Amino acid sequence: MELLYQYAWLIPVLPLAGAMLVGLGLITFNQATNKLRQANAILIVSALGGSMVLSFALLWSQLQGHAPYTRTIQWASAGDFSLNMGYIIDPLTAVMLAIVTTVAFLVMIYTDGYMAHDDGYVRFYAYLSIFSASMLGLVISPNIVQIYIFWELVGMCSYLLVGFWYDRKPAADACQKAFVTNRVGDFGLLLGILGIYWATGSFEFEVMGERLHSLVESGALSATLATIFGVLIFLGPAAKSAQFPLHVWLPDAMEGPTPISALIHAATMVAAGVFLIARMYPVFEGLPAVMNLIACTGCFTAFMGASIAITQNDIKKGLAYSTISQLGYMVMAMGVGAYSAGLFHLMTHAYFKAMLFLCSGSVIHGMEDVVGHNPALAQDMRVMGGLRKYMPITASCFLIGNLAICGIPPFAGFWSKDEILASAFAANPALWAVSWLTAGMTAFYMFRMYFSTFEGEFRGNDSAIKRQLLQPGVVFGPGAMNVKELAPTGDSHDDHDHFPHESPLTMALPLVLLAVPSVFIGFLGTPFANYFEQFVRAPGESLEQVLEHAAEFNLTEFLIMGGSSVGIALLGITLASLMYLSRKIDAGAIAQKIKPLYEFSLNKWYLDDINDFLFVKGSRRLARQVMEVDLRVVDGVVNLTGLITLVTGEGLKYFESGRAQFYALIVFVAVLGFAIVSGVS
């Protein structure tokens, strides 16, 4: 068993090696490598499969009670400074490794069907592999510096994958937006790391927490300064996990291929932020102001994401705002001290959200023949409807994911979300009230998506709807393809009726496999037998404390809290069915009556417009003003200096005749002048 831990470093190295081999092939023998499409895919999927086997072996070992294992080497040393690099295997790491490898493995299998006809098939697999390796390296990092290195690698990979179709302007803009927004958070994270090291002299998580709290208690370090360090650290997870106001990059990231959307939203980039909060929990838990900030930010983000998702017509954008909302739940859980609940929701959400995104990709793939050369329409729910008849596997899996994310028992999302709501109620009833209302909104917009996509009559062959949606001024959501880039609707394709089709086995199989944990994995964290919390405990919390807390389980309280969350979810589902299934309530009429609120949601709270005005146009205005100062002041001073030198040089050259008598005369006149002036004075 010890041998298994000694070779745990292979988990990130295997996919990294696969990406390196394929990347070298693309650089040196591009055409030959691209022709060996299936061979390259098998190589990369097999490498990640090896990592998955090792990850589950380590998870099993940790479940059997093996002590946490840390292995490090000295990476840098100078005087008293020493920095170690290596890896750590503990319960949190083991769970995260299992989540990342399983989701990434299934996404890679799915990719074979989704990207089958794409010219960048091999390149996409190489990007997926290095993305997975970066996240796995982040998960096993034993200190904050190593996490930061892999943190930046994860950000780089997201830039490459979101902008994978870089020849399309929206994709190029989206990857730049993601990169710049995350740089803001990462800069704060770097300042926080340096600040905490200055205060504690360590990069180790437990040591940083203990020393920082000791310094604050003794008065050697100001509590305000420690709080500032904590807030700066939180900026990193806020950007990666798309928390307000740094969430704006995530919906636009849907411009990347759907497999990477699933991976980003389920198990890699956004999960990295919540994971870092968990790793830095020893630091955060002793800073009440920071914990309150984390809780309030998460709660507000959950509500905001749900309120925007209600009006989205692009199926992927709707799921993107859903992810923002669910991440808010996880962050809020961390802020109220529900460490295990937040991580449990991270795990359940990873599986059902990966399935939902892959289902959306299956829908887009199935709609290709219907929309022809209008790819933006393939994501628009207004041209869908009735797809359950044509895509039964996709529809069934999407329904399972819907029930899970809405918190309907016994699906996985019920157990994890209910635990968060109960913890929020115990910590702050106001947070619970907002999160409870958000749960109802979640059920409404998710079943709005389901009914609009899979139920009713198929609208994809209605030319009038297509022409209406392609009118100038009609948009498909943030980052959607510009209507000017679309082919005319009057092409020959529209002269015939086309119908969606179910996806191939390589795409359908991952959906079915992800449906299994979406249904059953929640039973690991039931309040009356919370095996997950017993395994993944907050730092400093013993198993005895967890068991003691479990013994206090109150069935009546659970039924009241759980019943209230299920009740508002059922209310949301009922309202969605009346609007979008039976059509007994006219959603359009309601939107007209509350048009300001509808527009507010449809335009994403105008946050993109505000950012554009303040930061994009604002920075341009500032740049123009700086340019004016440079031209008129800086260049003016330089030019004036040159002019003075030129004029004085031109004047003095007449005094440089080379005749000694003339120089003597000048000296005589100067002396005479001084004598006269001295005499007068």
Side-chain angles (χ1 to χ4, degrees):
M1 187 62 70
E2 199 66 26
L3 189 65
L4 176 64
Y5 285 84
Q6 291 177 6
Y7 286 95
W9 54 271
L10 285 171
I11 293 175
V13 168
L14 285 174
L16 181 63
M20 182 186 69
L21 290 173
V22 174
L24 288 174
L26 288 170
I27 292 171
T28 54
F29 308 103
N30 185 272
Q31 292 185 354
T33 303
N34 276 309
K35 287 180 180 178
L36 298 172
R37 295 160 68 91
Q38 297 290 335
N40 284 289
I42 290 172
L43 171 65
I44 285 179
V45 173
S46 300
L48 188 64
S51 296
M52 184 174 67
V53 171
L54 283 172
S55 298
F56 274 93
L58 289 169
L59 177 60
W60 177 255
S61 174
Q62 287 292 303
L63 286 168
Q64 297 304 306
H66 193 288
Y69 180 91
T70 303
R71 187 176 183 182
T72 59
I73 59 171
Q74 191 176 73
W75 188 59
S77 178
D80 295 334
F81 173 79
S82 179
L83 179 61
N84 295 328
M85 293 291 184
Y87 60 90
I88 180 172
I89 304 297
D90 61 3
L92 175 58
T93 301
V95 169
M96 288 299 299
L97 289 175
I99 295 171
V100 174
T101 53
T102 50
V103 173
F105 183 76
L106 293 174
V107 166
M108 285 186 178
I109 294 174
Y110 178 94
T111 297
D112 177 65
Y114 191 86
M115 302 290 287
H117 305 294
D118 196 281
D119 292 337
Y121 177 95
V122 177
R123 176 168 59 94
F124 189 72
Y125 264 105
Y127 287 171
L128 280 180
S129 191
I130 194 172
F131 195 21
S132 303
S134 301
M135 185 62 191
L136 292 170
L138 187 151
V139 166
I140 66 172
S141 297
N143 58 59
I144 190 67
V145 172
Q146 189 171 329
I147 278 188
Y148 188 78
I149 293 170
F150 284 105
W151 184 272
E152 294 300 327
L153 281 174
V154 167
M156 180 202 73
C157 294
S158 68
Y159 172 82
L160 295 173
L161 285 159
V162 170
F164 181 76
W165 289 319
Y166 54 84
D167 53 341
R168 292 181 58 239
K169 188 178 185 302
D173 291 343
C175 70
Q176 292 180 49
K177 186 175 183 179
F179 187 81
V180 171
T181 306
N182 276 277
R183 294 291 68 72
V184 175
D186 293 354
F187 182 63
L189 174 61
L190 179 60
L191 290 179
I193 292 171
L194 295 175
I196 290 182
Y197 178 77
W198 168 79
T200 64
S202 176
F203 293 116
E204 310 297 323
F205 305 110
E206 298 287 349
V207 177
M208 284 191 296
E210 292 175 1
R211 290 183 182 175
L212 189 69
H213 302 155
S214 298
L215 290 169
V216 172
E217 289 174 0
S218 65
L221 180 68
S222 165
T224 302
L225 190 58
T227 299
I228 292 173
F229 293 157
V231 172
L232 289 171
I233 290 285
F234 177 61
L235 279 178
K240 274 285 191 292
S241 288
Q243 299 298 289
F244 174 84
L246 300 177
H247 68 283
V248 291
W249 67 271
L250 192 58
D252 288 24
M254 297 303 95
E255 289 296 339
T258 302
I260 196 54
S261 300
L263 198 55
I264 286 177
H265 284 250
T268 52
M269 189 149 172
V270 297
V274 179
F275 174 79
L276 182 58
I277 296 176
R279 276 294 188 220
M280 293 297 291
Y281 199 77
V283 173
F284 292 142
E285 67 176 341
L287 302 172
V290 178
M291 292 290 279
N292 288 334
L293 175 66
I294 292 173
C296 292
T297 301
C299 183
F300 181 80
T301 303
F303 176 80
M304 179 200 65
S307 69
I308 297 175
I310 286 176
T311 58
Q312 298 304 305
N313 295 310
D314 185 309
I315 189 170
K316 286 179 66 177
K317 302 302 190 300
L319 289 174
Y321 281 105
S322 168
T323 299
I324 292 173
S325 182
Q326 296 304 307
L327 288 167
Y329 275 107
M330 300 174 208
V331 172
M332 181 184 70
M334 291 292 179
V336 299
Y339 177 91
S340 296
L343 291 172
F344 186 45
H345 195 55
L346 171 64
M347 181 178 71
T348 60
H349 176 266
Y351 290 114
F352 61 69
K353 183 52 66 70
M355 181 177 64
L356 287 168
F357 263 107
L358 295 184
C359 284
S360 73
S362 180
V363 168
I364 294 167
H365 183 270
M367 289 287 292
E368 284 178 347
D369 290 340
V370 179
V371 299
H373 300 293
N374 297 325
L377 291 180
Q379 297 177 201
D380 198 295
M381 293 182 288
R382 289 170 290 186
V383 297
M384 297 177 188
L387 296 190
R388 181 166 56 86
K389 181 170 64 174
Y390 307 102
M391 310 178 70
I393 297 176
T394 302
S396 300
C397 291
F398 198 95
L399 179 60
I400 290 172
N402 257 19
L403 294 170
I405 197 172
C406 294
I408 304 299
F411 295 89
F414 166 74
W415 305 105
S416 56
K417 187 184 288 187
D418 184 70
E419 189 176 356
I420 292 175
L421 289 173
S423 300
F425 184 81
N428 187 333
L431 294 178
W432 171 83
V434 176
S435 339
W436 178 74
L437 180 61
T438 302
M441 295 163 63
T442 301
F444 173 78
Y445 70 70
M446 287 305 301
F447 271 87
R448 170 183 178 266
M449 292 174 66
Y450 175 77
F451 293 140
S452 299
T453 304
F454 295 103
E455 301 296 340
E457 295 296 324
F458 180 60
R459 301 178 293 273
N461 292 316
D462 190 332
S463 299
I465 293 178
K466 291 183 182 180
R467 283 194 294 270
Q468 180 183 359
L469 294 179
L470 290 174
Q471 291 297 319
V474 178
V475 296
F476 300 99
M481 181 178 287
N482 192 303
V483 292
K484 294 179 181 179
E485 300 176 19
L486 301 175
T489 57
D491 63 1
S492 59
H493 180 89
D494 291 331
D495 297 336
H496 308 283
D497 286 347
H498 294 265
F499 295 95
H501 56 81
E502 187 59 271
S503 298
L505 181 62
T506 52
M507 295 175 65
L509 180 61
L511 302 182
V512 175
L513 294 177
L514 285 167
V516 176
S518 298
V519 176
F520 297 109
I521 204 168
F523 291 109
L524 294 176
T526 59
F528 41 83
N530 199 331
Y531 302 109
F532 185 86
E533 187 175 10
Q534 294 174 26
F535 182 58
V536 182
R537 303 185 296 274
E541 189 175 23
S542 65
L543 179 59
E544 289 73 18
Q545 290 174 307
V546 172
L547 293 174
E548 182 180 345
H549 179 262
E552 299 172 358
F553 170 69
N554 187 314
L555 180 60
T556 304
E557 181 180 331
F558 166 71
L559 291 175
I560 293 173
M561 295 298 298
S564 65
S565 63
V566 173
I568 195 169
L570 291 175
L571 183 62
I573 295 171
T574 302
L575 188 59
S577 67
L578 292 173
M579 286 186 178
Y580 300 99
L581 183 62
S582 64
R583 307 284 176 175
K584 292 181 178 179
I585 298 178
D586 188 350
I590 294 176
Q592 287 299 318
K593 289 181 180 179
I594 54 169
K595 193 169 184 178
L597 287 176
Y598 174 77
E599 294 286 343
F600 189 66
S601 170
L602 187 65
N603 290 285
K604 300 141 332 203
W605 288 30
Y606 298 100
L607 291 172
D608 280 329
D609 298 314
I610 293 170
N611 287 334
D612 182 69
F613 177 78
L614 290 179
F615 301 111
V616 178
K617 293 178 180 176
S619 61
R620 288 174 182 171
R621 285 194 296 269
L622 179 62
R624 283 194 291 268
Q625 292 170 359
V626 170
M627 184 178 68
E628 289 294 320
V629 172
D630 180 64
L631 289 174
R632 300 179 184 279
V633 179
V634 178
D635 284 358
V637 171
V638 173
N639 293 336
L640 179 62
T641 303
L643 179 63
I644 293 173
T645 303
L646 178 64
V647 171
T648 53
E650 286 290 331
L652 289 173
K653 75 178 181 179
Y654 295 105
F655 293 95
E656 299 291 336
S657 64
R659 296 172 59 188
Q661 297 91 332
F662 182 69
Y663 296 156
L665 177 63
I666 292 175
V667 171
F668 174 75
V669 171
V671 171
L672 179 63
F674 280 122
I676 292 173
V677 170
S678 300
V680 171
S681 60

